[in-house]
Amino acid sequence: MLNTKTIAELSAMLAAGECTSVDIVSDVLAAINARDGKIGAYLTLDRDDALAQAKAADAARATGTTGALLGIPVAIKDLLNVKGQPCTCGSKILEGYSAPYDATAVAKLRETGAVLLGRVNMDEFAMGSSTENSGLGKTVNPWDAERVPGGSSGGSAACVAADEAVAALGSDTGGSIRQPAAFCGCVGLKPTYGRVSRYGLTAFASSLDQIGPLAKTVKDAALLLGVVSGHDPADSTSIDVPVPDYAAALTDDLKGMKLGLPKEYFVEGMDPEVEAAVRAAVKKCEELGAEIVDVSLPNAKYAIAVYYIIATAEASANLARFDGIRYGLREDGADPIELYGKTRAAGFGPEVKRRIILGTYVLSSGYYDAYYLRAQKVRTLIRNDFIEAFKQCDAILAPVTPTPAYKIGEKTGDPLKMYLDDILTTPVNLAGNCALSVPCGFSSDGLPIGLQIIGDSFKEANILKVGHAYEQATDWHKQKPAF
Amino acid sequence: MKYEACIGLETHVMQKTQTKMFCGCKHEYGAKPNTNVCPVCLGYPGALPVMNARAIELCCKAGLLLGCGINPRSKWDRKNYFYPDMAKNYQITQADEPLCLGGQLTTEVAGETKTFTIERIHQEENAAKNTHISGASLVDYNRAGTALMEIVSNPCMHSSSDALAYMTALKQIMEYGGISDCDLEKGHMRSDVNVSVRPVGQKELGAKVEIKNMNSFGFIVEAIEYEIDRQIGVIENGGTIDQETRGYDTDRGETFSQRTKEDAHDYRYFPEPDLLPVEISAEQIEQWRSELPELPAQRRARYVSELGLPEYDAGVLTAEKAVSEFFDETCQKTKQYKLVSNYLMGKVASLVTEKEISIADSELTAETLAQVAELVAGGTISSSAANELIEVLFTEGGDPKAIVEEKGMAQVSDDSALEIWADEAIAGNPKAVEAYKAGNAASINALMGCVMKASRGKANPPAVIALLKKKLGA
Ligand SMILES: [Zn+2]
């Protein structure tokens, strides 16, 4: 079953002529046929198109083309534009929209010959932590169908964990790659802000959004990151910093590395099993040669408040374009204002509406200084905390989430409780640096637990190195959910 | 009580850029609707803006021409409002840190030199064009996202003539600076006009009334005059002026209330996260300053001092950039500056009005006009023939010398032909001959007229006079 293999393994097999891209895609499609009815990761999937891309990749290989992703199927989170495919962002308001262009990250995948597989589910416009806010479908956790896969990149994490894709692209605004990766037991990387072009990524919160990989191993995440990274003139916030060969720099030990442990990240109310697993992982890193130092991120506790002001403010403007005039859903009205009102009332789900209202409120005349402006100031403090911490260490170790995956419906009645789950992931988005989630154990219920490895800006190589060495010394990533 | 009006203008100027402000779409007038569009200017999901460097340069150059300071660091903001003319439902603009700050414009108002102060110039993107037809609205996004800058004056004008002089001078500077074509018909220049009145001597401004989106100078003048009278009338009748937005009804010549302060928009400005701040170095500013073109006032002075033209001519020629550029180009090819000036102010100007064709769109070129001046100066053709020749060159074009030949426009200076016409004139006008001989020098004009008539205007007047004088024995 080729669908269970990693990018690195499949690449080697393809290069050796032991399999074809068509074989891989066929096995992936078979897995999707067999179990996606239960998992619900995919929103749309053009099987013929996927096979045609695989054939083209095989033909390219026959003429001497090579590449780490040539012929490898990658699932795409439904908010990245792929030319000619739908891009609903998990929302009814974009039903019927067909993307007229490729996102830059997608174009880079296409150039290397990766097979752009189907579109996977997410919380509507990436707003949520459980994929329960999708307006279009229900995705469950492959480890326990009664539990959420996490979110917002829940479809991306679930399809990788269930071997319904070899790897996937997701996006992370406040933890949307790392948290579902932790819940589903796969690897997820949020790159430094500016590392991957946002062009073609439907914006939720422009100053926080980053595209990143979800994969079965750290090495696969490194391979995928290497392809999608780099400066893009079409995204003014993408930064012109050289892209190292992330995969080539991976090693098996951590000698000479200093890893920080922030006391503020072991929060009250944290599941003891999660804390135990993360502390055991820290110990393992020490055994691998790393020096563990205490660091402090004193302003991290404000991250949730700051995040829900800045993200919703930006979202309130970003989502204004979904108005029924040019594309997507339209509910007619007597005048434009009525048309907007009816279209948006019908098209957006309750969480999206809640955040648009929040964002509109915090930007309103008379409230701007108290909320938005103050939030920006605290954001600077949070960023400074990380700058200070990275003077003492090469990477920071922490949990990803306070608990393992929770039950479907458990938190939907209490949005604030759901927001608080982002407490360990949002500081990194606010600071703009990078972080990795790797599997580090299981709860007594058999649910995956994630270790968060936080790096300084553009130091993805550091966290990949730590993640890879830890992964090689453990076998959490090799465990598969039962079907 | 006496009242004083305070008027401020917020003038939107569409810049002369090849592409739009934040995408690579062509900026072109009159294209088929919705052909110059892309995911960015249509506000598609995931599309991102990228700043047009040329627009920034033009905005800063406009600032330099108006004596503004250029902000070393300015930033972008989103202005949120829902309307189908703005695809994203927010406009990218500059709220509190614009590209240019401060500045002034000096011009003449009814013979008096006045200086009007400018608060700021900021860069933004234009809206789409909405057309309302029965039962539907059509949106053309070709204009959406084109580069637009807003020049905000202080409320330093006190009459409609101040405002007219300001707008006229501003338009001239923008044209001369190559910032904008300032074609009012194409909406290249539109103004929001703020009007308030206060008792003379009072320092604080009265409540401000804004009249939005006017592109005709004439209507702006009318609206200001109406609004000043209306506000004074309200106050004198014991009423108060409320801050509001009013429209101008051009048919009735009246302003009318559109939006009061209570239902003013809350635009919820916040910094645009998709764009980096604009940083401009001192070296860059100096580079741009060194590239600034000659302004009308400088050009007028040059025409007087270097080309010896009268002040009047210099003023007329520089009123429009296109005319003065045509003049300059023609003067590269002939030294007959005054003749060229005469033709441009006279025959050419009347042809432009009569035929409704600009000089640029006519068949006349600097080269052919220069040749006309040379032909007149060399005595080959008369002034009246020159006017005829210019009309042919303006409408049909061609080689001036060939046309002179073909149409027989050359003056006749040849004595034998002139002698016949002179003898005929003397023989046919005994009274004039007698009067001339009796000392009435002006009588020679009657004889001259006969010769010119007989020659159908081709006789060379100085030669005819000389010949007649000789024959009459003077
Ligand atoms: Zn465009």
Side-chain angles (χ1 to χ4, degrees):
Chain A
M1 295 300 280
L2 297 169
N3 57 305
T4 62
K5 301 210 174 293
T6 65
I7 296 176
E9 289 164 352
L10 292 170
S11 260
M13 290 174 74
L14 284 165
E18 291 164 19
C19 71
T20 65
S21 176
V22 170
D23 296 338
I24 301 169
V25 171
S26 301
D27 280 2
V28 168
L29 292 178
I32 295 170
N33 287 342
R35 60 186 84 128
D36 202 53
K38 182 180 159 204
I39 305 290
Y42 284 84
L43 286 175
T44 47
L45 174 63
D46 186 338
R47 290 173 167 79
D48 295 338
D49 178 57
L51 284 167
Q53 291 181 60
K55 272 199 189 99
D58 287 334
R61 189 177 294 279
T63 61
T65 310
T66 57
L69 290 181
L70 180 61
I72 305 291
V74 179
I76 309 289
K77 188 178 182 180
D78 197 35
L79 82 174
L80 277 152
N81 282 266
V82 177
K83 192 175 179 178
Q85 290 189 7
C87 179
T88 61
C89 304
S91 181
K92 287 192 171 70
I93 208 160
L94 275 170
E95 275 187 321
Y97 167 75
S98 170
Y101 72 107
D102 274 343
T104 300
V106 168
K108 282 170 177 272
L109 283 181
R110 218 191 265 284
E111 270 166 42
T112 61
V115 173
L116 305 169
L117 204 55
R119 310 193 58 80
V120 286
N121 202 13
M122 55 185 282
D123 286 297
E124 186 177 7
F125 289 106
M127 296 178 180
S129 319
S130 66
T131 313
E132 290 166 292
N133 295 332
S134 170
L136 302 176
K138 178 180 169 185
T139 304
V140 303
N141 192 311
W143 293 90
D144 178 349
E146 286 183 7
R147 294 184 185 262
V148 300
S152 66
S153 309
S156 304
C159 73
V160 171
D163 289 326
E164 292 182 30
V166 177
L169 282 187
S171 69
D172 191 316
T173 306
S176 283
I177 288 175
R178 290 161 285 159
Q179 185 256 23
F183 277 13
C184 292
C186 57
V187 174
L189 172 65
K190 188 218 86 96
T192 306
Y193 187 78
R195 176 75 292 183
V196 181
S197 167
R198 293 184 296 115
Y199 190 76
L201 169 74
T202 307
F204 158 20
S206 313
S207 74
L208 302 161
D209 297 341
Q210 265 297 287
I211 297 168
L214 291 103
K216 291 172 190 173
T217 62
V218 173
K219 187 169 187 190
D220 279 10
L223 287 168
L224 204 44
L225 177 68
V227 170
V228 298
S229 291
H231 176 61
D232 176 13
D235 174 5
S236 309
T237 64
S238 81
I239 298 174
D240 199 357
V241 174
V243 181
D245 187 340
Y246 294 115
L250 302 175
T251 54
D252 287 348
D253 69 68
L254 297 176
K255 286 194 186 75
M257 285 204 94
K258 273 191 186 171
L259 301 179
L261 205 57
K263 56 177 183 294
E264 295 87 354
Y265 268 58
F266 293 86
V267 291
E268 209 181 309
M270 171 167 292
D271 185 301
E273 288 184 328
V274 170
E275 178 162 357
V278 171
R279 292 211 185 270
V282 173
K283 191 101 188 92
K284 179 60 86 181
C285 290
E286 207 170 7
E287 286 166 28
L288 291 167
E291 182 191 339
I292 307 296
V293 296
D294 284 330
V295 293
S296 180
L297 300 166
N299 293 291
K301 58 177 177 286
Y302 302 119
I304 289 290
V306 171
Y307 175 81
Y308 278 92
I309 289 169
I310 292 174
T312 58
E314 291 178 4
S316 72
N318 283 331
L319 271 62
R321 67 187 62 199
F322 305 109
D323 60 7
I325 300 287
R326 297 166 312 286
Y327 46 76
L329 181 77
R330 177 190 290 185
E331 296 282 332
D332 265 317
D335 56 52
I337 299 302
E338 195 184 307
L339 183 153
Y340 297 150
K342 285 176 142 180
T343 300
R344 290 162 68 82
F348 289 140
E351 182 60 28
V352 170
K353 287 176 186 165
R354 186 178 295 124
R355 295 199 194 187
I356 290 173
I357 291 167
L358 259 174
T360 303
Y361 179 81
V362 299
L363 290 176
S364 297
S365 167
Y367 297 98
Y368 180 87
D369 289 4
Y371 292 106
Y372 187 81
L373 206 60
R374 178 159 299 199
Q376 288 293 7
K377 287 178 182 164
V378 180
R379 182 177 186 174
T380 305
L381 298 179
I382 293 171
R383 189 177 288 139
N384 291 344
D385 281 358
F386 279 104
I387 291 171
E388 282 307 310
F390 285 118
K391 286 178 183 167
Q392 300 159 55
C393 61
D394 303 304
I396 292 170
L397 300 179
V400 181
T401 58
T403 66
Y406 43 84
K407 290 247 167 74
I408 290 169
E410 193 181 324
K411 297 192 179 180
T412 43
D414 188 351
L416 197 60
K417 203 170 169 197
M418 185 105 75
Y419 293 175
L420 287 171
D421 281 346
D422 300 337
I423 189 155
L424 303 172
T425 47
T426 48
V428 168
N429 300 80
L430 291 166
N433 45 325
C434 58
L436 181 70
S437 172
V438 292
C440 72
F442 287 88
S443 71
S444 46
D445 292 336
L447 298 169
I449 296 169
L451 168 70
Q452 187 173 201
I453 307 166
I454 302 170
D456 202 355
S457 291
F458 296 100
K459 295 289 170 59
E460 281 81 0
N462 278 353
I463 57 175
L464 287 165
K465 185 181 157 128
V466 175
H468 177 74
Y470 173 75
E471 184 187 77
Q472 295 311 299
T474 57
D475 63 357
W476 310 114
H477 65 289
K478 290 182 181 154
Q479 312 213 14
K480 301 274 184 186
F483 293 105
Chain B
M1 196 174 330
K2 293 208 77 177
Y3 292 91
E4 174 186 56
C6 295
I7 302 155
L9 268 76
E10 294 171 11
T11 307
H12 291 91
V13 176
M14 262 175 93
Q15 290 141 285
K16 209 154 80 174
T17 55
Q18 300 284 316
T19 57
K20 296 187 182 184
M21 188 61 222
F22 296 116
C23 63
C25 288
K26 241 204 284 181
H27 168 205
E28 153 185 58
Y29 184 81
K32 191 167 169 276
N34 296 315
T35 51
N36 290 329
V37 292
C38 73
V40 177
C41 55
L42 285 177
Y44 267 56
L48 295 172
V50 175
M51 197 177 84
N52 179 336
R54 175 71 180 153
I56 300 298
E57 177 186 338
L58 289 177
C59 184
C60 292
K61 281 184 169 170
L64 292 172
L65 288 169
L66 292 168
C68 294
I70 307 300
N71 243 339
R73 189 175 191 276
S74 66
K75 70 169 178 56
W76 303 101
D77 297 280
R78 291 185 183 178
K79 176 182 181 179
N80 295 286
Y81 68 93
F82 274 88
Y83 200 69
D85 67 359
M86 196 50 76
K88 305 184 296 298
N89 288 314
Y90 60 81
Q91 180 190 32
I92 304 177
T93 179
Q94 301 189 295
D96 53 354
E97 291 174 47
L99 281 169
C100 313
L101 278 172
Q104 67 281 321
L105 188 160
T106 300
T107 188
E108 286 204 354
V109 188
E112 190 191 339
T113 300
K114 289 191 179 177
T115 295
F116 302 113
T117 54
I118 287 162
E119 186 198 311
R120 57 183 280 166
I121 308 177
H122 65 257
Q123 182 67 53
E124 57 190 32
E125 57 177 334
N126 211 341
K129 189 166 176 284
N130 284 10
T131 311
H132 303 286
I133 58 166
S134 153
S137 290
L138 307 174
V139 193
D140 178 3
Y141 291 97
N142 282 351
R143 200 182 68 188
T146 52
L148 188 71
M149 53 180 205
E150 185 172 334
I151 303 172
V152 182
S153 86
N154 287 308
C156 57
M157 291 164 242
H158 301 296
S159 66
S160 59
S161 23
D162 281 358
L164 180 62
Y166 170 85
M167 289 185 295
T168 308
L170 190 63
K171 178 172 184 285
Q172 221 180 38
I173 292 170
M174 292 304 119
E175 283 172 359
Y176 269 83
I179 312 294
S180 170
D181 288 332
C182 284
D183 189 331
L184 301 183
E185 301 287 315
K186 294 180 183 167
H188 287 172
M189 193 173 168
R190 287 171 288 161
S191 294
D192 300 338
V193 185
N194 300 316
V195 181
S196 64
V197 299
R198 63 183 172 194
V200 168
Q202 181 183 307
K203 276 215 170 129
E204 315 81 73
L205 292 167
K208 176 176 86 171
V209 168
E210 189 171 33
I211 311 159
K212 283 266 189 200
N213 209 13
M214 313 258 289
N215 69 347
S216 148
F217 287 10
F219 289 147
I220 293 176
V221 166
E222 283 175 31
I224 290 173
E225 283 166 4
Y226 176 87
E227 193 50 34
I228 294 173
D229 286 348
R230 185 190 72 84
Q231 292 186 20
I232 293 173
V234 168
I235 295 169
E236 293 205 317
N237 285 317
T240 51
I241 299 298
D242 294 323
Q243 186 178 325
E244 62 175 338
T245 301
R246 294 177 77 88
Y248 183 62
D249 182 332
T250 53
D251 292 334
R252 304 175 64 168
E254 293 173 2
T255 64
F256 59 94
S257 184
Q258 278 182 323
R259 206 163 60 210
T260 60
K261 193 182 174 186
E262 283 68 41
D263 35 60
H265 284 300
D266 179 358
Y267 289 117
R268 305 190 313 276
Y269 287 98
F270 75 102
E272 166 58 277
D274 287 333
L275 290 167
L276 304 177
V278 189
E279 295 192 345
I280 301 173
S281 69
E283 292 75 31
Q284 179 64 79
I285 294 169
E286 285 323 302
Q287 172 66 30
W288 284 337
R289 201 190 297 280
S290 73
E291 292 165 6
L292 292 180
E294 187 181 43
L295 280 186
Q298 297 163 313
R299 196 167 280 192
R300 277 196 296 276
R302 177 167 61 84
Y303 287 176
V304 173
S305 65
E306 289 178 26
L307 306 184
L309 293 188
E311 292 270 5
Y312 174 81
D313 289 38
V316 174
L317 290 172
T318 52
E320 265 185 65
K321 189 191 183 196
V323 173
S324 104
E325 282 184 345
F326 193 89
F327 175 74
D328 277 341
E329 205 187 327
T330 310
C331 292
Q332 298 289 309
K333 302 168 195 296
T334 173
K335 299 237 176 313
Q336 303 302 326
Y337 310 129
K338 177 60 183 153
L339 275 179
V340 174
S341 165
N342 288 350
Y343 295 138
L344 282 173
M345 294 192 302
K347 188 63 184 176
V348 175
S350 66
L351 284 167
V352 166
T353 319
E354 186 190 314
K355 313 261 184 208
E356 293 181 359
I357 299 172
S358 70
I359 299 183
D361 292 337
S362 80
E363 298 298 322
L364 186 70
T365 65
E367 179 61 43
T368 56
L369 185 63
Q371 284 188 34
V372 173
E374 290 293 330
L375 288 169
V376 172
T380 310
I381 57 170
S382 66
S383 293
S384 58
N387 283 337
E388 222 178 293
L389 177 57
I390 287 170
E391 180 151 2
V392 175
L393 292 168
F394 189 91
T395 52
E396 295 162 28
D399 173 33
K401 283 187 185 126
I403 295 166
V404 165
E405 197 137 310
E406 185 194 317
K407 302 214 178 223
M409 287 173 170
Q411 298 191 111
V412 179
S413 309
D414 166 23
D415 275 358
S416 60
L418 291 184
E419 207 140 341
I420 297 168
W421 292 325
D423 287 345
E424 279 173 10
I426 289 167
N429 295 280
K431 277 187 182 165
V433 172
E434 223 166 281
Y436 181 80
K437 286 185 171 165
N440 184 353
S443 309
I444 203 166
N445 290 338
L447 300 172
M448 165 88 176
C450 289
V451 175
M452 292 311 287
K453 201 176 167 190
S455 73
R456 283 179 299 159
K458 284 183 271 176
N460 181 345
V464 174
I465 295 280
L467 186 63
L468 285 170
K469 281 184 177 169
K470 194 176 114 194
K471 285 196 180 275
L472 294 172

